[in-house]
Amino acid sequence: MIRLRNIEKIYRTDTVETLALNSISLDIAKGEFLSIMGPSGCGKSTLLNIMGLLDTPSNGQVQIDDQATTALSDKQLAHFRNRKIGFIFQSYHLINDLKVLDNVELPMLYRNSSAGERKQLATEALEKVGLSNRIKHFPKQLSGGQKQRVAIARAIVGKPEIILADEPTGNLDSAMGNEIMDILLELNKTDGTTIVMVTHDENMARKTHRLVRLFDGTQVQ
Ligand code: ADP
Ligand code: ADP
């Protein structure tokens, strides 16, 4: 599903050059749930952003679903990303002045679906994360765990084959974190969604199929 070959990422400014990723090669199978761990600054977010086509590597190849992505234009990349990949972030990234339902509908605005279809898909996604009773609330009226559930609903509304989650439980206490983890495990098991999750929590990582550890941009496990 995701194939990385000799991925290198160098961040350059006028004075500093940082090798953030050093020749990472990784194959992630369809239906796999992979976690990525490692100390702060080791390249986890950079790797996830490259997998998610939010950022491009300095060298190396990214293949998603047998499509070599280096050949795609920015517009094609955006289209591909919108269809295939759902993102979840530690700090939710919800739009505060949109109601829950409207937040979840957002990714569908880029598609040619009618308002009725958008509403139905968003409602279904919110049912899946157990938030049907909060669709008219605003994000600030929700707990952290509920906000993250809205973010998951937004990530899955377009039925992506891949979910990329950057520390999805990082801001949550362990009870709420476990709830979020259970939803991700269920999406992986029931829908066969491929999931890659960055985490600092060994307990969360242990529940996934495989763990990759990074240190200073290099894969050490
Ligand atoms: P992690 O997610 O593991 O904390 P990151 O992928 O965010 O690590 O960062 C990896 C390295 O790349 C760090 O040394 C960081 O300082 C550097 N880095 C990340 N983003 C940028 C950027 N936009 N410009 C320059 N350096 C960056
Ligand atoms: P976290 O909540 O995990 O701290 P960040 O704010 O660090 O997340 O975002 C992780 C990365 O994803 C950043 O490089 C950011 O630029 C990028 N990003 C965040 N939100 C979006 C978005 N909606 N679309 C595209 N890129 C995004």
Side-chain angles (χ1 to χ4, degrees), residues 11 13 18 20 39-47:
Y11 289 110
T13 65
T18 310
S40 186
C42 72
K44 304 180 295 296
S45 293
T46 301
L47 186 62

Side-chain angles (χ1 to χ4, degrees), residues 158-196:
K159 306 191 195 303
E161 293 164 62
I162 300 168
I163 290 177
L164 301 180
D166 198 348
E167 295 195 52
T169 65
N171 283 351
L172 303 175
D173 65 30
S174 64
M176 285 199 206
N178 282 326
E179 271 178 36
I180 293 304
M181 193 61 196
D182 286 345
I183 293 173
L184 294 177
L185 287 164
E186 184 63 27
L187 289 171
N188 173 252
K189 207 171 112 190
T190 311
D191 300 348
T193 310
T194 306
I195 304 182
V196 182

Side-chain angles (χ1 to χ4, degrees), residues 9-29:
K9 181 69 179 181
I10 303 162
Y11 289 110
R12 286 192 180 89
T13 65
D14 291 347
T15 48
V16 200
E17 213 177 80
T18 310
L19 180 59
L21 294 174
N22 183 6
S23 198
I24 304 284
S25 294
L26 201 55
D27 284 309
I28 302 165

Side-chain angles (χ1 to χ4, degrees), residues 45 49 54 88-93 166-167 171:
S45 293
N49 288 347
L54 292 171
I88 305 168
F89 300 97
Q90 177 172 5
S91 47
Y92 326 121
H93 292 300
D166 198 348
E167 295 195 52
N171 283 351

